């Protein structure tokens, strides 16, 4: 019900259960004179009132129930109505000295009580108490509805949270599976790349050996042949002698070139003398061919062999890095450092050249515009479980840092 005083209220529909006729009459008079618009349905017995309320005809806004009734008592009627969930606001009227009963009624869920005093002063309060009971009841119902809605929303939320948690758990599981698959795939790629690198190295080694052995033998035979031809020439044939000397010069040049190619393909030294002397020798040869470029090499703490796989990786990286510097960097100085710092080898190559904008070489560039040198470095380092960091910028030179984990019995002291 709406109790806004500014609006015209519909009449309050009161069911009055009272066996005392005088009291009923007094009740109705009180309301007539109070100015409160109401319709009062009067019952003498609780059972009659119960039937009327159950049938909802007429519909009621409040029940005012005297306790002392013939048949079922007022409190029994109240309890029955509460048990049947009629939700009808109830005011119980009790005799003087029955406060205990009032407490029981309130505990059972009756909205309010009034004590009927013999002087009937309680009647004066009825026009105030009844609207208050109605208002409180309406507030309680609204609060209950709000609490129920809140509980429903909370339950829904719990269900949604449970559902979402289950979905998340499923997604996490899928992600973990994906991650595992990815790790396996990466492991496979690393394995394949390692096999490819080692097959390539084997092939280079074979070509280098063939070049050295077979071409070497043929060139030696040619050298000896031309020399004996020279010796067999009769004196005075200076033209032919000159030709022979020219041929010997060409044969020696060819021999040097074959040796250079063979050593580029696979430096014998690496197998026989180890990494540091091979890097030194390579840098020395390179410096001779590279003109003004100054290359400084330093090795610290590298006392044992690092394993042929790691040694060839570092050798190839130096080859590629120095070739890049000669080809692209326009550098004046290069610093190459090899350091064993337990449990890893750290290899750095730094130049003071023009550098490059790293996105120029990133994967976002079309494949054909990318060189494979830097990519190959990454592949090689990855194949031995190492990491590589390449830093460059226009006009800032280029810095390459490689870290390779080493077994404790290798490389260091
Ligand atoms: N030290 C360097 N100084 C300047 N630019 C470099 C250097 N190293 C690499 N680059 C740049 O990175 C590019 C990719 O190098 P790389 O992968 O070795 O391919 P390529 O040498 O065949 O061009 C080079 O084309 C060059 O632009
Ligand atoms: Mg290159």
């Amino acid at each position: 019900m709406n109790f806004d005083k500014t609006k015209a209220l519909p009449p309050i529909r009161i069911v009055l259960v009272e066996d005392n006729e005088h009291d009923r009459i007094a009740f109705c008079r009180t309301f007539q004179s109070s100015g409160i618009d109401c319709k009062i349905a009067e019952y003498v017995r609780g059972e009659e009132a119960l039937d009327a309320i159950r049938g909802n005809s007429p519909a009621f806004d409040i029940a005012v129930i005297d306790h002392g009734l013939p048949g079922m008592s007022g409190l029994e009627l109240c309890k029955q109505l509460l048990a049947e969930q009629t939700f009808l606001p109830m005011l119980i009227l009790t005799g003087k000295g029955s406060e205990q009963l009032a407490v029981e009624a309130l505990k059972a869920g009756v909205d309010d009580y009034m004590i009927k005093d013999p002087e009937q002063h309680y009647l004066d309060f009825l026009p105030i108490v009844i609207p208050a009971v109605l208002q409180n009841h309406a507030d309680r119902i609204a609060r209950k509805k709000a609490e129920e809605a809140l509980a429903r929303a909370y339950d829904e939320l719990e269900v949604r949270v449970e559902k979402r948690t289950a979905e998340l758990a499923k997604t996490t599981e899928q992600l973990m599976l994906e991650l595992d698959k990815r790790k396996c795939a990466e492991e496979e790629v690393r394995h394949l790349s390692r096999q490819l690198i080692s097959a390539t190295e084997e092939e280079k080694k074979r070509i280098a050996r063939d070049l050295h052995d077979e071409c070497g033998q043929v060139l030696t035979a040619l050298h000896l042949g031309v020399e004996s031809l020279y010796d067999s020439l009769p004196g005075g044939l200076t033209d032919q002698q000159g030709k022979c000397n020219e041929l010997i010069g060409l044969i020696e040049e060819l021999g040097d070139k074959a040796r250079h190619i063979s050593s580029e393909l696979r430096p014998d030294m690496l197998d026989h003398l180890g990494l540091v002397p091979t890097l030194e020798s390579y840098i020395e040869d390179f410096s001779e061919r590279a003109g003004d470029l100054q290359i400084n090499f330093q090795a610290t703490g590298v006392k044992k062999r690092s394993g042929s796989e790691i040694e060839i990786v570092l050798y190839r990286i130096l080859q590629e890095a120095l070739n890049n510097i000669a080809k692209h960097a326009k550098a004046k100085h290069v610093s190459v450092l090899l350091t064993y710092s337990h449990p890893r080898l750290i290899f750095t190559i730094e130049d003071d050249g023009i550098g490059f904008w790293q996105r120029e070489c990133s994967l976002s560039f079309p494949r054909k515009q990318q060189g494979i040198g830097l990519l190959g470095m990454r592949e090689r380092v990855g194949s031995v479980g190492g990491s590589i960091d390449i830093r460059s910028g226009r006009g800032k030179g280029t810095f390459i840092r490689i870290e390779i984990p080493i077994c404790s019995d290798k490389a260091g002291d």
Side-chain angles (χ1 to χ4, degrees), residues 15-144:
V15 53
L16 173 66
V17 195
E18 171 65 82
D19 60 329
N20 185 315
E21 194 184 356
H22 291 292
D23 285 352
R24 286 202 307 274
I25 293 169
F27 185 95
C28 294
R29 265 205 208 117
T30 302
F31 271 94
Q32 270 164 13
S33 55
S34 74
I36 295 176
D37 189 8
C38 63
K39 279 187 182 163
I40 303 169
E42 297 169 44
Y43 295 94
V44 175
R45 297 178 65 88
E47 290 83 351
E48 294 164 358
L50 187 61
D51 283 346
I53 294 166
R54 276 179 183 151
N56 200 30
S57 67
F60 300 115
D61 295 317
I62 185 165
V64 180
I65 302 165
D66 181 34
H67 174 61
L69 296 173
M72 86 192 305
S73 72
L75 184 60
E76 279 167 352
L77 173 60
C78 289
K79 286 185 175 173
Q80 188 57 37
L81 289 173
L82 284 163
E84 293 182 17
Q85 299 195 324
T86 51
F87 299 114
L88 187 64
M90 285 177 284
L91 173 69
I92 193 162
L93 306 174
T94 66
K96 223 182 168 138
S98 42
E99 284 79 3
Q100 192 54 43
L101 182 104
V103 170
E104 195 186 333
L106 290 180
K107 273 191 185 162
V110 173
D111 293 83
D112 211 344
Y113 73 95
M114 284 189 88
I115 306 228
K116 290 200 318 191
D117 56 322
E119 296 79 26
Q120 296 206 318
H121 288 315
Y122 78 97
L123 289 171
D124 299 337
F125 294 103
L126 275 173
I128 301 163
V129 170
I130 285 186
V133 167
L134 281 171
Q135 183 66 64
N136 286 343
H137 187 82
D139 289 351
R140 221 178 47 231
I141 296 282
R143 201 167 52 239
K144 201 169 162 210

Side-chain angles (χ1 to χ4, degrees), residues 303-345:
K303 305 225 166 114
K304 292 184 191 163
R305 303 294 303 263
S306 315
S308 61
E309 205 179 358
I310 291 174
E311 290 180 345
I312 195 71
V313 162
L314 293 178
Y315 177 78
R316 294 291 180 219
I317 284 170
L318 180 72
Q319 266 185 321
E320 178 59 33
L322 289 185
N323 279 306
N324 274 350
I325 292 169
K327 237 185 350 174
H328 312 292
K330 301 193 176 92
K332 290 207 162 36
H333 302 98
V334 182
S335 164
V336 182
L337 294 178
L338 179 67
T339 313
Y340 176 74
S341 168
H342 179 76
R344 56 201 189 276
L345 263 180

Side-chain angles (χ1 to χ4, degrees), residues 283-411:
I283 287 170
E284 205 177 303
D285 283 355
F286 197 91
S287 304
E288 273 173 27
R289 283 181 280 123
D292 285 347
L293 190 62
Q294 255 191 28
I295 309 175
N296 182 24
F297 174 61
Q298 244 184 303
T300 322
V302 189
K303 305 225 166 114
K304 292 184 191 163
R305 303 294 303 263
S306 315
S308 61
E309 205 179 358
I310 291 174
E311 290 180 345
I312 195 71
V313 162
L314 293 178
Y315 177 78
R316 294 291 180 219
I317 284 170
L318 180 72
Q319 266 185 321
E320 178 59 33
L322 289 185
N323 279 306
N324 274 350
I325 292 169
K327 237 185 350 174
H328 312 292
K330 301 193 176 92
K332 290 207 162 36
H333 302 98
V334 182
S335 164
V336 182
L337 294 178
L338 179 67
T339 313
Y340 176 74
S341 168
H342 179 76
R344 56 201 189 276
L345 263 180
I346 299 167
F347 191 44
T348 60
I349 303 159
E350 186 172 13
D351 70 64
D352 61 354
I354 58 168
F356 60 100
W357 188 34
Q358 278 181 290
R359 270 188 55 195
E360 282 171 13
C361 297
S362 76
L363 294 177
S364 60
F365 253 58
R367 275 259 170 225
K368 59 181 175 189
Q369 285 179 28
Q370 282 180 43
I372 56 160
L374 298 180
L375 215 62
M377 283 190 199
R378 290 187 191 282
E379 287 287 315
R380 284 181 185 277
V381 172
S383 78
V384 288
S387 59
I388 179 167
D389 185 17
I390 302 176
R391 293 194 184 173
S392 193
R394 282 226 177 273
K396 293 183 180 162
T398 302
F399 177 74
I400 300 173
R401 185 179 199 275
I402 288 150
E403 262 193 46
I404 297 178
I406 299 282
C407 298
S408 56
D409 60 333
K410 289 181 174 164

Side-chain angles (χ1 to χ4, degrees), residues 158-309:
E158 257 190 357
V159 169
R160 275 165 60 189
V161 166
E162 257 171 44
K163 205 173 146 204
R164 194 81 192 102
T165 310
E167 280 171 9
L168 273 175
K170 209 170 154 196
T171 314
T172 312
E173 201 179 310
Q174 277 171 349
L175 268 176
M176 296 304 273
L177 277 175
E178 280 299 314
L179 216 67
D180 276 355
K181 272 196 214 160
R182 211 186 159 133
K183 267 190 196 155
C184 285
E186 275 171 11
E187 193 50 54
E188 214 165 294
V189 168
R190 203 171 303 140
H191 178 70
L192 280 175
S193 129
R194 200 169 172 162
Q195 276 189 332
L196 193 70
I197 290 169
S198 106
T200 315
E201 285 302 333
E202 277 305 310
E203 189 60 8
K204 282 184 177 174
K205 205 171 177 177
R206 193 186 60 73
I207 298 171
R209 206 177 39 236
D210 287 358
L211 196 67
H212 178 268
D213 296 352
E214 292 178 23
C215 290
Q217 280 171 20
V218 175
L219 285 173
T220 311
L222 255 176
H223 199 283
L224 290 172
V226 178
E227 263 177 2
S228 76
L229 186 68
Y230 180 94
D231 293 343
S232 66
L233 283 175
L237 293 177
T238 43
D239 267 8
Q240 284 78 350
Q241 282 171 339
K243 278 278 174 229
C244 281
N245 279 332
E246 215 174 286
L247 278 175
I248 287 169
L250 283 173
I251 290 164
E252 281 170 356
E253 198 180 315
L254 198 57
D256 284 348
K257 282 198 172 139
R259 259 191 306 283
H260 175 70
I261 293 171
S262 159
S263 127
E264 284 273 315
L265 281 168
R266 174 74 192 196
D268 266 358
M269 239 183 161
L270 198 56
D271 297 326
H272 301 129
L273 297 178
L275 184 61
V276 175
T278 310
L279 297 185
E280 260 165 2
S281 153
Y282 184 82
I283 287 170
E284 205 177 303
D285 283 355
F286 197 91
S287 304
E288 273 173 27
R289 283 181 280 123
D292 285 347
L293 190 62
Q294 255 191 28
I295 309 175
N296 182 24
F297 174 61
Q298 244 184 303
T300 322
V302 189
K303 305 225 166 114
K304 292 184 191 163
R305 303 294 303 263
S306 315
S308 61
E309 205 179 358

